[in-house]
Amino acid sequence: GESVGLHLPTLSVQEGDNSIINCAYSNSASDYFIWYKQESGKGPQFIIDIRSNMDKRQGQRVTVLLNKTVKHLSLQIAATQPGDSAVYFCAEPATGANSKLTFGKGITLSVRP
Amino acid sequence: DAGITQSPRHKVTETGTPVTLRCHQTENHRYMYWYRQDPGHGLRLIHYSYGVKDTDKGEVSDGYSVSRSKTEDFLLTLESATSSQTSVYFCAISVRVGETQYFGPGTRLLVL
């Protein structure tokens, strides 16, 4: 079936460096994507989203890039901080009645001081 | 957590006992969801609601039932808890189908 997946299970970065988290999707008809951050012991937290009519969207220290040609999106975190340490998921809402979110398995971002 | 609370936050129960988890929202969102999160499986949809008294099954609904008598409350019931239902349960809400879902803080359930 259709799926949303992540390339790497873990990512370790130095504090202050930029982080790039990648995600591939398989449904070429997908038109909306969401990035979530989940800290230990907490629920997933919305970070940023992007629709398929955009290639790039920026938030506070975060940028999401969408490449529809290769069905790939990435989350860029500028000047990574210790508070950015968490698991990051990309997700795709289904367009059916249940609006089921298809999540990637998650990638753990670890920030070295 | 976008005006979403879950109760209890932690629960330990024994196999065969009924358990009810509560999700309460103050956002007046129409859609509400229950997920479970397990290592190796990620987040999986149990049941969802598209309005008061309107609910439907997700991908892992066996052994669970839900009820929604008010817009703000969505209850998840394990009729007879089993060890396989040990998990972390998350409630989520959204304004419309296909839009961003916002998650609650979760309930950690241990079935002995």
Side-chain angles (χ1 to χ4, degrees), chain A residues 32 34 36 38 41-44 46 49 51 89 93-101 103 105, chain B residues 9 31 33 35 37 40 43 45 48 57 59 90 96-105 108:
Chain A
Y32 182 54
I34 307 163
Y36 288 94
Q38 187 174 21
K42 297 184 178 180
F46 170 83
D49 57 2
R51 297 198 178 273
F89 303 90
T95 53
N98 68 12
S99 189
K100 172 181 174 297
L101 276 176
F103 288 91
K105 292 193 183 299
Chain B
R9 294 294 313 280
Y31 292 84
Y33 312 81
Y35 289 87
Q37 186 175 40
L43 283 151
L45 182 67
Y48 65 99
K57 297 179 180 180
E59 59 185 306
F90 289 102
R96 286 175 290 274
V97 66
E99 296 291 325
T100 299
Q101 294 180 21
Y102 297 93
F103 286 80
R108 190 173 296 273

Coordinates of all heavy atoms in Angstrom, one line a residue, chain A residues 32 34 36 38 41-44 46 49 51 89 93-101 103 105, chain B residues 9 31 33 35 37 40 43 45 48 57 59 90 96-105 108:
Chain A
Y32 N -0.5 16.9 0.6 CA -0.3 17.6 1.9 C 0.6 16.8 2.8 O 0.3 15.6 2.9 CB -1.7 17.9 2.5 CG -1.7 18.6 3.8 CD1 -1.1 19.8 3.9 CD2 -2.3 18.1 4.9 CE1 -1.1 20.5 5.1 CE2 -2.3 18.8 6.1 CZ -1.7 20.0 6.2 OH -1.7 20.7 7.4
I34 N 2.9 16.8 6.6 CA 3.1 17.4 7.9 C 4.3 16.9 8.6 O 4.6 15.7 8.4 CB 1.9 17.1 8.8 CG1 0.6 17.4 8.1 CG2 2.0 17.8 10.2 CD1 -0.6 16.7 8.8
Y36 N 6.0 16.3 12.3 CA 5.8 16.3 13.7 C 7.1 16.1 14.5 O 8.0 15.4 14.0 CB 4.8 15.2 14.1 CG 3.4 15.4 13.7 CD1 2.9 14.9 12.6 CD2 2.5 16.1 14.6 CE1 1.6 15.1 12.2 CE2 1.2 16.3 14.2 CZ 0.7 15.8 13.0 OH -0.6 16.0 12.7
Q38 N 8.3 14.7 18.3 CA 7.9 14.0 19.5 C 9.0 13.9 20.5 O 10.0 13.2 20.3 CB 7.3 12.6 19.2 CG 6.6 12.0 20.4 CD 5.9 10.7 20.1 OE1 6.2 10.1 19.1 NE2 5.0 10.3 21.0
G41 N 8.2 11.0 26.2 CA 7.1 11.1 27.1 C 6.0 12.0 26.7 O 5.1 12.3 27.5
K42 N 6.0 12.6 25.5 CA 5.0 13.5 25.1 C 4.4 13.1 23.8 O 4.8 12.2 23.1 CB 5.7 14.9 24.9 CG 6.2 15.5 26.2 CD 6.8 16.9 25.9 CE 7.3 17.5 27.2 NZ 7.8 18.9 27.0
G43 N 3.3 13.8 23.5 CA 2.6 13.5 22.2 C 3.3 14.2 21.0 O 4.0 15.1 21.2
P44 N 3.0 13.7 19.8 CA 3.6 14.4 18.6 C 3.1 15.8 18.6 O 1.9 16.1 18.8 CB 3.0 13.6 17.5 CG 2.7 12.2 18.0 CD 2.3 12.5 19.5
F46 N 2.9 19.3 16.3 CA 3.0 19.9 14.9 C 4.1 20.9 14.8 O 4.3 21.7 15.7 CB 1.7 20.6 14.6 CG 1.7 21.4 13.3 CD1 1.5 20.8 12.1 CD2 1.9 22.8 13.4 CE1 1.5 21.5 10.9 CE2 1.9 23.5 12.2 CZ 1.7 22.9 11.0
D49 N 3.8 22.4 8.0 CA 3.2 21.6 6.9 C 3.5 22.2 5.6 O 4.0 23.3 5.5 CB 1.7 21.4 7.2 CG 1.0 22.8 7.3 OD1 1.6 23.8 7.1 OD2 -0.2 22.8 7.5
R51 N 1.9 22.1 1.4 CA 1.0 21.5 0.3 C 1.7 21.4 -1.0 O 2.8 22.0 -1.2 CB -0.2 22.5 0.2 CG -1.1 22.6 1.4 CD -2.5 23.1 1.2 NE -3.2 23.1 2.5 CZ -3.9 22.1 3.0 NH1 -3.9 21.0 2.3 NH2 -4.5 22.2 4.1
F89 N 8.8 12.9 12.8 CA 8.0 12.1 11.8 C 7.5 13.0 10.7 O 7.1 14.1 10.9 CB 6.7 11.6 12.5 CG 6.9 10.8 13.7 CD1 6.9 11.3 14.9 CD2 7.0 9.4 13.6 CE1 7.0 10.5 16.1 CE2 7.1 8.6 14.7 CZ 7.1 9.2 16.0
P93 N -1.8 12.9 5.6 CA -3.2 12.6 5.8 C -3.8 11.9 4.6 O -3.6 12.3 3.5 CB -3.9 13.9 6.1 CG -2.8 14.9 6.2 CD -1.6 14.4 5.4
A94 N -4.6 10.8 4.9 CA -5.3 10.2 3.8 C -6.5 11.1 3.4 O -6.9 12.0 4.2 CB -5.9 8.9 4.3
T95 N -6.9 11.0 2.2 CA -8.0 11.8 1.7 C -9.3 11.1 1.9 O -10.3 11.7 1.5 CB -7.7 12.2 0.2 OG1 -7.6 10.9 -0.5 CG2 -6.5 13.0 0.0
G96 N -9.3 9.9 2.4 CA -10.5 9.2 2.6 C -11.3 9.7 3.8 O -10.8 10.7 4.5
A97 N -12.4 9.1 4.1 CA -13.3 9.6 5.2 C -12.6 9.6 6.6 O -12.9 10.4 7.4 CB -14.5 8.7 5.2
N98 N -11.7 8.7 6.8 CA -11.1 8.6 8.2 C -10.0 9.5 8.4 O -9.5 9.6 9.5 CB -10.8 7.1 8.5 CG -9.6 6.6 7.7 OD1 -8.9 7.3 7.1 ND2 -9.4 5.3 7.8
S99 N -9.5 10.1 7.4 CA -8.4 11.1 7.5 C -7.2 10.5 8.3 O -6.5 11.1 9.0 CB -8.9 12.3 8.3 OG -7.9 13.3 8.2
K100 N -7.0 9.2 8.1 CA -5.9 8.5 8.8 C -4.6 9.1 8.4 O -4.3 9.4 7.2 CB -5.9 7.0 8.4 CG -4.7 6.2 8.8 CD -4.9 4.8 8.4 CE -3.6 4.0 8.7 NZ -2.4 4.4 8.0
L101 N -3.8 9.4 9.4 CA -2.4 9.9 9.2 C -1.5 8.7 8.9 O -1.5 7.8 9.8 CB -1.9 10.7 10.4 CG -2.3 12.1 10.5 CD1 -1.8 12.7 11.8 CD2 -1.8 12.9 9.3
F103 N 2.2 7.7 9.1 CA 3.4 8.2 9.6 C 4.6 7.4 9.1 O 4.5 6.2 8.9 CB 3.4 8.1 11.1 CG 2.5 9.0 11.8 CD1 1.2 8.6 12.1 CD2 3.0 10.2 12.2 CE1 0.4 9.5 12.8 CE2 2.1 11.1 12.9 CZ 0.8 10.7 13.2
K105 N 8.3 5.9 10.2 CA 8.7 5.3 11.5 C 9.4 6.2 12.4 O 9.5 6.0 13.6 CB 9.6 4.1 11.2 CG 8.8 3.0 10.5 CD 9.6 1.7 10.5 CE 8.8 0.6 9.8 NZ 7.5 0.3 10.4
Chain B
R9 N -3.3 9.7 32.9 CA -2.0 9.8 32.2 C -1.2 8.5 32.3 O -0.5 8.1 31.4 CB -1.2 11.0 32.7 CG -1.8 12.3 32.4 CD -1.8 12.7 30.9 NE -0.6 12.4 30.3 CZ 0.5 13.1 30.3 NH1 0.5 14.3 30.9 NH2 1.6 12.8 29.6
Y31 N -13.4 16.5 14.4 CA -12.8 15.2 14.3 C -12.0 14.8 15.5 O -11.2 15.7 15.9 CB -12.0 15.1 13.0 CG -12.8 15.1 11.7 CD1 -13.2 16.3 11.2 CD2 -13.2 14.0 11.1 CE1 -14.0 16.4 10.0 CE2 -14.0 14.0 10.0 CZ -14.4 15.3 9.4 OH -15.1 15.3 8.3
Y33 N -9.7 11.4 17.3 CA -9.0 10.1 16.9 C -8.4 9.5 18.1 O -7.9 10.2 19.0 CB -7.9 10.4 15.9 CG -8.3 11.2 14.7 CD1 -8.3 12.6 14.8 CD2 -8.6 10.6 13.5 CE1 -8.6 13.4 13.7 CE2 -9.0 11.4 12.4 CZ -9.0 12.8 12.5 OH -9.3 13.6 11.5
Y35 N -5.2 6.8 18.8 CA -4.1 6.1 18.2 C -3.4 5.3 19.4 O -3.4 5.7 20.5 CB -3.0 7.0 17.6 CG -3.4 7.7 16.4 CD1 -4.1 8.9 16.4 CD2 -3.0 7.2 15.1 CE1 -4.4 9.6 15.2 CE2 -3.4 7.8 13.9 CZ -4.0 9.0 14.0 OH -4.4 9.6 12.8
Q37 N 0.6 3.8 20.2 CA 2.0 3.9 19.7 C 2.8 2.8 20.4 O 2.9 2.7 21.6 CB 2.6 5.2 20.0 CG 4.0 5.4 19.4 CD 4.5 6.8 19.6 OE1 4.3 7.4 20.7 NE2 5.1 7.4 18.6
G40 N 8.3 -0.2 17.0 CA 8.3 -1.0 15.8 C 7.1 -0.9 14.9 O 7.0 -1.4 13.8
L43 N 2.6 4.9 15.1 CA 1.3 5.3 15.5 C 0.3 4.6 14.6 O 0.4 4.6 13.4 CB 1.1 6.8 15.4 CG 1.8 7.6 16.5 CD1 2.2 9.0 16.0 CD2 0.8 7.7 17.7
L45 N -4.0 3.9 14.0 CA -5.3 4.4 14.3 C -6.2 3.3 14.8 O -6.4 2.3 14.2 CB -5.9 5.1 13.0 CG -7.3 5.7 13.2 CD1 -7.2 6.9 14.1 CD2 -7.8 6.1 11.8
Y48 N -12.0 6.5 15.2 CA -12.1 8.0 15.0 C -13.5 8.4 15.1 O -14.4 7.5 15.0 CB -11.4 8.4 13.7 CG -12.1 7.9 12.5 CD1 -13.0 8.7 11.8 CD2 -11.8 6.7 12.0 CE1 -13.6 8.3 10.6 CE2 -12.4 6.2 10.8 CZ -13.3 7.0 10.2 OH -13.9 6.6 9.0
K57 N -14.3 2.6 12.7 CA -13.1 1.9 13.1 C -11.9 2.3 12.3 O -11.9 2.7 11.1 CB -13.3 0.4 12.8 CG -14.4 -0.2 13.6 CD -14.6 -1.7 13.2 CE -15.8 -2.3 14.0 NZ -16.0 -3.8 13.7
E59 N -7.5 1.0 11.9 CA -6.8 -0.2 11.4 C -6.6 -1.3 12.5 O -6.4 -2.4 12.2 CB -5.5 0.2 10.8 CG -4.5 0.9 11.8 CD -3.3 1.4 11.1 OE1 -2.6 0.5 10.5 OE2 -3.0 2.6 11.2
F90 N -2.7 7.8 22.3 CA -2.8 9.2 22.0 C -4.2 9.5 21.4 O -4.6 8.8 20.5 CB -1.7 9.7 21.1 CG -0.3 9.6 21.7 CD1 0.5 8.6 21.4 CD2 0.1 10.7 22.5 CE1 1.8 8.6 22.0 CE2 1.3 10.7 23.1 CZ 2.2 9.7 22.8
R96 N -10.9 19.5 10.1 CA -11.5 18.9 8.9 C -10.8 17.6 8.5 O -9.6 17.4 8.9 CB -11.5 19.9 7.7 CG -12.5 21.0 7.8 CD -12.2 22.0 6.6 NE -11.0 22.7 6.7 CZ -10.8 23.8 7.4 NH1 -11.9 24.3 8.0 NH2 -9.7 24.4 7.4
V97 N -11.4 16.8 7.7 CA -10.7 15.6 7.2 C -9.6 16.0 6.3 O -9.7 17.0 5.6 CB -11.8 14.7 6.5 CG1 -12.3 15.4 5.2 CG2 -11.2 13.3 6.2
G98 N -8.5 15.3 6.5 CA -7.3 15.6 5.6 C -6.5 16.8 6.1 O -5.5 17.1 5.4
E99 N -6.8 17.3 7.2 CA -6.1 18.5 7.8 C -5.2 18.0 8.9 O -5.2 16.9 9.3 CB -7.0 19.6 8.2 CG -7.8 20.2 7.1 CD -7.0 21.0 6.2 OE1 -6.0 21.6 6.6 OE2 -7.3 21.0 5.0
T100 N -4.4 18.9 9.4 CA -3.4 18.6 10.5 C -4.2 18.1 11.7 O -5.2 18.6 12.1 CB -2.6 19.8 10.8 OG1 -1.9 20.3 9.7 CG2 -1.7 19.6 12.0
Q101 N -3.6 17.0 12.3 CA -4.1 16.5 13.5 C -3.2 17.0 14.7 O -2.0 16.9 14.6 CB -4.2 15.0 13.5 CG -5.2 14.5 12.5 CD -5.3 13.0 12.4 OE1 -5.0 12.3 13.3 NE2 -5.9 12.5 11.3
Y102 N -3.9 17.4 15.8 CA -3.1 17.8 16.9 C -3.3 16.8 18.0 O -4.4 16.4 18.3 CB -3.6 19.2 17.4 CG -3.4 20.3 16.3 CD1 -4.4 20.6 15.4 CD2 -2.2 20.9 16.3 CE1 -4.1 21.5 14.4 CE2 -1.9 21.9 15.3 CZ -2.9 22.2 14.4 OH -2.7 23.1 13.4
F103 N -2.2 16.5 18.7 CA -2.2 15.4 19.6 C -2.2 15.8 21.1 O -1.7 16.8 21.4 CB -1.0 14.5 19.4 CG -1.1 13.7 18.1 CD1 -0.8 14.3 16.9 CD2 -1.4 12.4 18.2 CE1 -0.9 13.5 15.7 CE2 -1.5 11.6 17.0 CZ -1.3 12.2 15.8
G104 N -2.8 14.9 21.9 CA -2.8 15.1 23.3 C -1.5 14.6 23.9 O -0.7 14.0 23.2
P105 N -1.4 14.6 25.2 CA -0.1 14.2 25.9 C 0.1 12.7 26.0 O 1.2 12.2 26.3 CB -0.2 14.9 27.3 CG -1.7 15.0 27.5 CD -2.3 15.2 26.2
R108 N -0.2 6.3 29.3 CA 0.6 5.1 29.3 C -0.2 4.0 30.0 O -0.4 4.2 31.2 CB 1.9 5.4 29.9 CG 3.0 4.3 29.8 CD 4.3 4.7 30.3 NE 4.9 5.8 29.5 CZ 5.6 5.7 28.4 NH1 5.9 4.5 28.0 NH2 6.0 6.7 27.8

